[in-house]
Amino acid sequence: MTLADGKIIIDTSLDGTGFSDGLSKLGSMAAKGTKAAVTSITAVGTALIGCATYAIKVGSDFEAGMSQVEAISSASSQTVTTATGQMVDGLSALTEKAKEMGASTKFSATESSEALNYMAMAGWDAQAMYDGLAGIMTLAAASGEDLAATSDIVTDALTAFKMEASESVHFADVLAQVSASANTNVGLLGETFKYVAPLCGTLGYSAEDAAIAIGLMANSGIKGSQAGTALKTALANMAAPTEKMAGAMDN
C-alpha cells in the first residue's frame, strides 16, 4: 500500500486459504482417481477371470461331449482316413473335425460334439461320423435348426434310406431344396421322415422321391407327423392293396 510519506509497503503474507483448498481438492481428486482406477482394474480383472472361466467351461463341455461319443462309439479303437489321406485313430480324427467345424462355422466345437453324439447313437462308425459331420452342419446352418436336432434327422433318414454317411451333404441339399421351394421347413420334414422314411427305404423309394411327395403334401397344408402318417398309409395300401384299391390303381 502507499503511505502518506510516499513509502510503498508490500505485504508478503500470502493468504493460503485458496491454495490449501486447492491442494485439498487435488488430494480428493487423486483419491477418487485412484479409487476409480482400482475399480476399473478390478472390473477388467473380473471380466478376464470370467472369460477364463467361460473358456474352461467350454473346454470341459467339449471334452465331456467327446467322452460321450467315445463311450457310445468306441471311436478310439477304430481307424479313420482323414481328408488329407492320413490314417489316424477315430477319436483323434473326430476331435479335430469337431474343432475344425467349430472354427469354420457358426457352431461351436461343443455343439459339433453333440451332433457327433447323435451319429454315434444312430450306430454310425467313426469314419461315417467323420464323413457326415460337414453335411449335417451345413444343413443346420442353412435351415436355422438346432444342430443336434438336425443331426438326429439326418442320421435317422440316411439309415432308413440305406444311404452312406458320405452322402449326408447330398441329403442335406435335398432337404434344403424342399424347404426352400415348398411350404415347409427342415424341422417339419424331419418329423415327416420319422414316420415314412423306413417304409420308403424298404419299398425302394429314394430320399428324392419321398422329398418330392412331402413337398407336394406340404403345399396342400399337410405337414409334419400328419404328412408322415398319411404318406405311410398310402404306401402301405399300395404295397398290399385290397381288391377295390387295386382296381382304383389300375384305373
Side-chain angles (χ1 to χ4, degrees), residues 29-139:
M29 289 171 65
K32 289 180 180 178
T34 302
K35 183 178 180 182
V38 171
T39 301
S40 297
I41 292 171
T42 302
V44 171
T46 302
L48 289 174
I49 292 172
C51 289
T53 303
Y54 176 75
I56 292 171
K57 183 180 186 303
V58 170
S60 62
D61 286 348
F62 174 67
E63 291 175 0
M66 293 308 302
S67 294
Q68 189 169 2
V69 172
E70 165 63 13
I72 297 172
S73 67
S74 299
S76 61
S77 63
Q78 303 172 44
T79 302
V80 166
T81 303
T82 68
T84 58
Q86 293 180 310
M87 301 272 294
V88 298
D89 76 88
L91 184 59
S92 297
L94 293 178
T95 299
E96 290 306 310
K97 190 67 174 180
K99 290 179 180 179
E100 176 190 332
M101 292 294 100
S104 60
T105 69
K106 72 173 188 177
F107 299 107
S108 67
T110 300
E111 289 173 310
S112 300
S113 70
E114 292 173 359
L116 288 171
N117 188 50
Y118 276 97
M119 297 181 200
M121 289 191 291
W124 288 20
D125 61 23
Q127 185 69 59
M129 289 189 280
Y130 182 88
D131 293 336
L133 184 59
I136 289 172
M137 295 186 74
T138 299
L139 178 61

Side-chain angles (χ1 to χ4, degrees), residues 15 25 35 42-43 105 107 113 122 130 144 164 176 202 208 216 225-226 237 239 245:
D15 184 357
K25 289 179 181 179
K35 183 178 180 182
T42 302
T105 69
F107 299 107
S113 70
Y130 182 88
E164 299 292 331
T202 300
E208 290 85 350
L216 292 171
S225 59
Q226 182 184 12
N237 288 338
M245 292 175 184

Side-chain angles (χ1 to χ4, degrees), residues 194-231:
K194 184 189 301 183
Y195 288 85
V196 76
L199 182 56
C200 284
T202 300
L203 295 176
Y205 290 104
S206 68
E208 290 85 350
D209 293 330
I212 291 171
I214 293 169
L216 292 171
M217 295 176 75
N219 287 339
S220 297
I222 305 172
K223 308 174 188 180
S225 59
Q226 182 184 12
T229 302
L231 187 54

